[in-house]
Amino acid sequence: MSALILFGGGGDLAMRMLLPSLYFLEHDGLLPEGLKIIGAARSEESADEYVAKVHDAVKAKAEADKAWDADSWARMKARLDYLAIDATSADSLKRLKAKVGDGEVTSFLAVSPSLYGRIVTAMKDAGLAERNCRIVLEKPVGRDLKSFLEIDDAVGHAFREDQVFRIDHYLGKETVQNLTALRFGNTIFEPLWNNLTIDHVQITIGETVGVGDRWPYYDEYGALRDMLQNHMLQLLCLVAMEPPSDLDPESLRNEKVKVLRSLRPITPEEAERVTVRGQYVAGVSEGKPAKSYEEERGQPSDTETFVAIRADIDNWRWAGVPFFMRTGKRLPEKRTEIVIQFKPVPHSIFDNDDGEAPANRMVIELQPEEDISLTVMNKRPGLDKRMQLQPITMSLSWGVDGKSDTPPRRRIAYERLLLDAMHGDSTLFVRRDEAEQAWKWVDEVADAWAESGLKPDEYVAGTWGPDSADMLMMRTGRDWNTTNA
């Protein structure tokens, strides 16, 4: 028998993401035969009570996606079990070990990373870290390189590296995976993917929500550590990495590490020129009044809720090509996108009434919809003596060939990642040295802020960050993408 243990099985992540993902995998017939799903948490409740809570959470999500099916739920229900335990106690975990037996075990730690060290030590003592066991770690692991190494050393003492799956759910998104296919499966793109034809790259992760009652966590991490250290740097790596020799997990992750090692350090002298810190003040978000971060926290704070950074990759492919990243809370819309801005033609032979024709642009959109579009120039219809150009945008995603009238169900990113973890495929997970390099670069940014005394600039809730974020681009003669704004 194989088993999936959800530590923190009654928590928000499990109920909102993990268990619905497992239901959809069950619905599609993708769960391994004989798999048992065991929720493990401190809450003293019966298995029947736990299953009832799972039913309500899963049904609400499945009905919203028009995918609720009584037979699928019946199959999943038969897999479910629950055990009230203290995950930091080896004696308590031995009861869990007795329940799962000697088959393959995948454990997902959907708990505070501050507990990881104590939990994995108890797992080792209880026999839950044997060679047929895997462990999935949810981010953030640590808040800097030092704390990451402390936690990961404890994990490494219990599990070998090939048993550890550090999850970043952005890597499970279909469009993110499609970026690899787009680059390395088509001869028309890869020869252009360099500093000869690309002017710059933009990566935006915008959130409309505020911090709210999550401020105790957020005040410790801020936007830099909460979003940029993991999600944004992972997206940057996938855009910038060299072609791997194959799709073996180590081949792909080797190339991502090379990108992170090539990131130019940000010094205190450069901090104000190439980085922006911001914090939202009261405004209007999604048509409703929004409090400032300090009002939500209850007292003043220097924590950034917005960050924008110019990153430079010092290698042959990307020398001279800036990568602009921005992320923040209380922005005008929930949007995640990668913009590949190509250079203009070296000499235009067209005399446009509208001025110089815009350069080609590729937009890889992850939220609110998943799409990849390419803007090219086309002749404007008409009988003008002078040929006029107009931009047209082509979608490179589903249905563009006319064979599909409706999009496929948008999968939860955790579906792909849970399935891969249970099968031992680490391609879409973060390797230890990869996380180390990311933390090292982010620590340098944080240290530069501290040494230079860079404070957050205010921005009104419901806007795209402080004016200094626009200046970050404007001083290079560029602008943030507003195509979908």
Side-chain angles (χ1 to χ4, degrees):
M1 178 189 74
S2 61
L4 173 65
I5 302 171
L6 300 179
F7 288 94
D12 177 71
L13 177 62
M15 291 294 174
R16 187 169 49 88
M17 290 291 182
L18 304 181
L19 289 158
S21 294
L22 291 166
Y23 166 81
F24 288 126
L25 292 173
E26 181 71 79
H27 181 273
D28 294 343
L30 296 174
L31 286 182
E33 186 175 351
L35 176 74
K36 294 294 292 183
I37 302 170
I38 302 172
R42 288 181 177 272
S43 177
E44 291 290 345
E45 59 184 331
S46 68
D48 289 341
E49 290 172 327
Y50 178 73
V51 169
K53 282 171 39 178
V54 174
H55 170 272
D56 293 344
V58 166
K59 186 175 183 181
K61 178 64 176 174
E63 286 184 337
D65 289 349
K66 297 180 174 57
W68 177 253
D69 175 69
D71 290 339
S72 298
W73 166 249
R75 294 195 303 273
M76 181 174 174
K77 180 180 178 181
R79 300 178 184 271
L80 286 170
D81 202 349
Y82 178 79
L83 191 63
I85 58 163
D86 175 3
T88 64
S89 164
D91 289 340
S92 186
L93 290 185
K94 285 175 181 177
R95 294 192 292 120
L96 188 57
K97 169 63 177 175
K99 185 177 283 285
V100 300
D102 296 324
E104 288 191 350
V105 178
T106 303
S107 297
F108 194 117
L109 299 193
V111 298
S112 170
S114 63
L115 299 174
Y116 286 178
R118 294 164 61 193
I119 290 175
V120 296
T121 300
M123 291 176 71
K124 181 177 176 63
D125 293 341
L128 287 170
E130 304 300 319
R131 284 299 294 147
N132 63 342
C133 298
R134 305 182 185 96
I135 188 166
V136 183
L137 305 179
E138 180 66 37
K139 73 97 180 171
V141 181
R143 71 174 302 277
D144 53 21
L145 179 60
K146 181 177 181 292
S147 57
F148 166 77
L149 291 175
E150 288 173 354
I151 295 171
D152 218 59
D153 283 348
V155 173
H157 182 69
F159 294 89
R160 288 174 34 160
E161 177 62 24
D162 61 358
Q163 296 174 271
V164 181
F165 293 74
R166 299 173 192 84
I167 201 166
D168 186 326
H169 71 267
Y170 268 57
L171 297 182
K173 292 179 179 291
E174 194 71 24
T175 307
V176 173
Q177 296 170 61
N178 205 21
L179 176 58
T180 304
L182 188 77
R183 283 193 58 189
F184 306 130
N186 299 281
T187 58
I188 62 173
F189 291 121
E190 184 55 26
L192 306 178
W193 215 263
N194 54 54
N195 56 7
L196 299 178
T197 54
I198 291 178
D199 177 79
H200 72 278
V201 176
Q202 300 178 26
I203 303 175
T204 294
I205 301 179
E207 298 181 277
T208 57
V209 297
V211 175
D213 58 9
R214 291 181 66 239
W215 73 260
Y217 157 81
Y218 202 85
D219 210 55
E220 182 180 0
Y221 285 81
L224 178 70
R225 295 178 174 92
D226 183 53
M227 296 295 290
L228 192 136
Q229 185 274 335
N230 40 77
H231 300 327
M232 303 199 84
L233 286 183
Q234 284 295 316
L235 296 179
L236 180 146
C237 285
L238 290 174
V239 172
M241 70 182 186
E242 295 296 319
S245 57
D246 50 44
L247 282 182
D248 178 81
E250 298 312 306
S251 299
L252 190 140
R253 296 193 293 182
N254 286 343
E255 299 305 331
K256 290 200 290 178
V257 171
K258 291 177 185 177
V259 173
L260 293 170
R261 287 177 175 165
S262 299
L263 283 172
R264 184 183 303 168
I266 292 177
T267 65
E269 294 73 25
E270 296 176 311
E272 190 170 358
R273 182 177 63 86
V274 299
T275 74
V276 173
R277 300 181 74 201
Q279 185 183 108
Y280 60 83
V281 297
V284 177
S285 179
E286 298 183 299
K288 298 177 181 179
K291 294 181 180 180
S292 69
Y293 176 69
E294 290 190 350
E295 287 175 309
E296 292 174 336
R297 187 180 184 276
Q299 56 184 305
S301 169
D302 285 339
T303 299
E304 77 282 351
T305 61
F306 176 96
V307 61
I309 288 183
R310 169 183 170 156
D312 289 273
I313 300 173
D314 290 332
N315 62 22
W316 279 30
R317 181 183 289 263
W318 297 113
V321 178
F323 283 68
F324 296 97
M325 298 180 284
R326 63 174 173 173
T327 182
K329 302 283 188 182
R330 288 290 185 216
L331 301 186
E333 60 181 289
K334 185 175 183 177
R335 191 207 308 180
T336 302
E337 68 178 15
I338 304 168
V339 177
I340 312 296
Q341 180 63 60
F342 292 91
K343 293 180 178 180
V345 293
H347 172 68
S348 177
I349 62 175
F350 304 99
D351 185 14
N352 263 27
D353 290 339
D354 298 335
E356 188 174 337
N360 303 130
R361 170 178 288 184
M362 177 181 290
V363 178
I364 301 155
E365 187 179 352
L366 283 71
Q367 290 182 134
E369 302 296 332
E370 295 196 45
D371 188 26
I372 299 177
S373 61
L374 179 65
T375 299
V376 298
M377 293 302 109
N378 190 41
K379 178 187 177 298
R380 180 179 297 167
L383 300 178
D384 295 337
K385 289 183 179 180
R386 294 176 300 144
M387 184 180 293
Q388 298 284 299
L389 297 182
Q390 66 177 5
I392 61 169
T393 300
M394 304 181 295
S395 173
L396 306 180
S397 298
W398 65 271
V400 294
D401 57 1
K403 295 180 180 179
S404 176
D405 296 326
T406 57
R409 177 180 67 80
R410 185 175 181 179
R411 290 190 177 276
I412 303 172
Y414 282 98
E415 294 178 48
R416 169 84 271 162
L417 299 173
L418 283 168
L419 201 60
D420 284 357
M422 288 186 285
H423 289 155
D425 184 347
S426 58
T427 304
L428 299 177
F429 295 84
V430 180
R431 202 168 63 191
R432 177 177 168 125
D433 57 344
E434 195 177 336
E436 282 185 37
Q437 287 297 323
W439 273 123
K440 180 181 177 182
W441 191 76
V442 165
D443 278 0
E444 290 169 344
V445 175
D447 291 344
W449 285 351
E451 190 171 332
S452 64
L454 188 64
K455 302 294 185 182
D457 295 329
E458 293 183 350
Y459 66 97
V460 176
T463 65
W464 278 108
D467 293 341
S468 49
D470 292 327
M471 288 302 301
L472 177 71
M473 296 286 280
M474 291 172 63
R475 69 171 59 103
T476 70
R478 301 174 175 94
D479 294 295
W480 293 106
N481 177 46
T482 58
T483 304
N484 300 318

